[in-house]
């Protein structure tokens, strides 16, 4: 792949905070971004151009694709028909296989198991009628997750005993409960030339299914972290991937278990903005533009904390703190559970 010349335009599907931070990183490298987003969204404030149209609007999709040199995305749930149309006009990076694998939890788990990585034990629960057998098989506790469109713990039901009968209403997977000691993630990148670079794994703490903090270094043994990075590399190589990927892992006494993969920049990689010369956003833009990757080296210890809903009330105090970098997404109302921004604290 040839390098994208400065002044070229990168199309981004999705206009949330990830699209916003990708647009800023792209502009630093001399590129323009055209954001495609059905709703009014944070990336529109900083991008060169915005298309506000639904993913079913073929004329808008076509005009968008024709106005850009390459297409990437900040969320993985773009409808297949829209992707088919876009891909007939411009290349999409990361590729369609990565999207197909991560759009469906069952396909994702089959893929991970197929390349020899451990996942939670799982069963396909296509309809409600499949649930009793799956629960009997895996035992309780277990978690039922919708196969598609789940994020931040949404679309999940916990089963405390095998007699419990709840249903998501859509095809799902039942996962056996993983008794983990910690959750970590690897932000890994693969360039168009196959070069792979990973950042140090971060320790993730969730509350109510939403990421609260990521801390690096994560305090786990070096051998475990090497394993985590090698697993992430195996995933991006198997997918012939180009771009940044977030790989979430559970740490258990028996070793690492892959929870899920996100074919995009990831919330648990925001710390790289304060810890690395080339952060995850620039890294992703470099990859999709065919430029050499940054090396992923970390120069500082960092704790990233999400500012969710009411946390915005702490802003005056956070702005007064030394060694704290504040990032706000330009969202209007600070509703409960809504990610409004984040801070990176140098430790
Ligand atoms: P997910 O949306 O799949 O990342 O799940 C959200 C959070 O729920 C994870 O970060 C874990 O804290 C927890 N969780 C998800 N799946 C499992 C599992 N199989 N066993 C234990 N905890 C889980």
């Amino acid at each position: 792949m040839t390098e994208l010349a400065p002044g070229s335009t990168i199309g981004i599907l999705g206009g949330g905070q990830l699209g916003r931070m990708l647009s800023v990183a792209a502009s630093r490298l001399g590129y323009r971004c055209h954001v495609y987003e059905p709703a009014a969204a944070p990336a529109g404030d900083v991008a060169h151009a915005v298309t506000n149209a639904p993913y079913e609007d073929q004329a808008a999709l076509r005009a968008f694709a024709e106005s850009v040199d390459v297409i990437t995305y900040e969320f993985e749930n773009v409808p297949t028909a829209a992707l088919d149309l876009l891909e007939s006009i411009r290349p999409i990076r990361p590729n369609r296989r990565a999207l197909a694998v991560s759009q469906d939890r069952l396909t994702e788990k089959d893929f991970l198991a197929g390349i020899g990585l451990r996942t939670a034990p799982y069963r396909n629960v296509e309809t409600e009628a499949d649930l009793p057998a799956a629960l009997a098989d895996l035992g309780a506790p277990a978690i039922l997750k919708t196969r598609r469109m789940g994020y931040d713990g949404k679309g999940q039901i916990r089963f405390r005993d095998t007699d419990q009968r709840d249903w998501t209403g859509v095809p799902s997977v039942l996962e056996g409960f993983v008794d983990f000691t910690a959750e970590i993630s690897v932000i890994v990148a693969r360039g168009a030339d196959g070069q792979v670079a990973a950042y140090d794994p971060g320790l993730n703490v969730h509350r109510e299914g939403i990421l609260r903090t990521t801390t690096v270094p994560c305090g786990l043994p070096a051998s475990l972290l090497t394993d985590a990075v090698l697993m992430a590399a195996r995933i991006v190589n198997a997918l012939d991937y180009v771009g940044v990927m977030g790989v979430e892992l559970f740490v258990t006494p028996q070793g690492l278990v892959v929870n899920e993969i996100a074919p995009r920049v990831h919330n648990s990689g925001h710390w790289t903005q304060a810890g690395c010369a080339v952060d995850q956003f620039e890294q992703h833009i470099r990859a999709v533009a065919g430029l050499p990757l940054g090396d992923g080296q970390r120069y500082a210890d960092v704790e990233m904390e999400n500012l969710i809903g009411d946390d915005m009330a702490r802003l005056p105090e956070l702005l007064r703190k030394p060694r704290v970098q504040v990032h706000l997404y330009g969202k209007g109302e600070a509703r409960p559970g809504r990610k409004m921004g984040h801070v990176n604290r140098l430790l």
Side-chain angles (χ1 to χ4, degrees):
M1 182 193 138
T2 51
E3 295 183 1
L4 213 58
S8 302
T9 303
I10 298 173
I12 303 177
L13 302 172
Q17 60 266 21
L18 302 178
R20 179 180 172 107
M21 291 184 275
L22 283 170
S23 298
V24 172
S27 68
R28 281 202 319 258
L29 287 172
Y31 297 124
R32 293 172 167 168
C33 285
H34 185 163
V35 167
Y36 194 103
E37 164 64 49
D45 296 344
V46 301
H48 172 71
V50 189
T51 296
N52 270 138
Y55 284 113
E56 291 71 37
D57 185 338
Q58 299 207 353
L61 287 168
R62 190 168 286 117
F64 165 79
E66 282 166 356
S67 77
V68 304
D69 297 287
V70 61
I71 298 170
T72 188
Y73 44 90
E74 59 122 51
F75 89 127
E76 54 273 38
N77 292 316
V78 181
T80 304
L83 293 166
D84 288 341
L85 174 57
L86 294 169
E87 198 176 33
S88 71
I89 303 171
R90 290 290 182 273
I92 299 179
R93 293 192 193 106
N95 62 33
R96 294 291 298 280
R97 175 135 187 260
L99 271 169
V101 161
S102 55
Q103 276 183 345
D104 182 326
R105 287 189 193 272
L106 181 66
T107 317
E108 180 180 73
K109 288 204 159 39
D110 287 345
F111 160 74
L112 293 167
I115 61 168
L117 301 179
R118 277 182 64 207
T119 67
Y122 63 99
R123 293 290 179 276
N124 183 20
V125 186
E126 196 73 38
T127 68
E128 197 171 359
D130 299 330
L131 187 59
L135 272 169
D137 247 14
L138 294 183
I143 307 182
L144 189 67
K145 301 182 180 180
T146 59
R147 280 174 56 176
R148 294 177 167 272
M149 301 297 277
Y151 70 99
D152 284 349
K154 291 190 171 61
Q156 302 190 5
I157 301 173
R158 300 208 170 203
F159 286 77
R160 274 166 198 81
D161 62 71
T162 51
D163 299 329
Q164 193 180 325
R165 289 290 172 264
D166 289 296
W167 177 233
T168 54
V170 289
S172 300
V173 281
L174 186 72
E175 285 184 20
F177 198 80
V178 177
D179 204 5
F180 58 81
T181 52
E183 292 187 77
I184 62 171
S185 56
V186 179
I187 307 300
V188 62
R190 188 167 178 278
D193 58 356
Q195 182 198 356
V196 173
Y199 295 101
D200 281 357
L203 178 72
N204 298 327
V205 174
H206 294 86
R207 206 186 304 150
E208 287 153 13
I210 304 179
L211 183 69
R212 295 305 305 207
T213 60
T214 299
T215 308
V216 281
C218 69
L220 295 166
S223 60
L224 199 81
L225 303 187
T226 304
D227 282 353
V229 167
L230 290 174
M231 288 165 80
R234 193 187 301 182
I235 294 169
V236 287
N237 283 328
L239 290 170
D240 196 18
Y241 193 83
V242 173
V244 164
M245 173 184 279
V247 179
E248 295 182 42
L249 302 141
F250 296 131
V251 180
T252 78
Q254 293 76 39
L256 294 168
V257 173
V258 184
N259 175 24
E260 61 180 1
I261 62 176
R264 51 171 169 77
V265 286
H266 196 254
N267 193 168
S268 68
H270 292 356
W271 66 266
T272 58
Q273 294 169 314
C276 302
V278 173
D279 67 26
Q280 65 162 349
F281 301 100
E282 178 173 341
Q283 189 79 312
H284 185 75
I285 296 296
R286 283 182 179 226
V288 303
L291 303 180
L293 297 183
D295 61 10
Q297 164 112 30
R298 183 172 58 81
Y299 295 100
D301 297 355
V302 186
E303 182 197 66
M304 187 285 308
E305 182 188 1
N306 274 331
L307 301 178
I308 299 172
D310 286 350
D311 290 340
M312 285 298 277
R314 291 165 44 213
L315 193 58
E317 163 216 342
L318 288 166
L319 284 167
R320 269 186 212 97
K321 288 215 160 106
R323 300 168 70 84
V324 171
Q325 189 184 61
V326 177
H327 295 258
L328 299 180
Y329 307 149
K331 295 183 183 176
E333 198 194 339
R335 291 194 294 272
R338 193 174 196 204
K339 290 176 182 167
M340 304 300 292
H342 67 273
V343 291
N344 286 320
R345 201 172 280 122
L346 293 166
L347 301 174

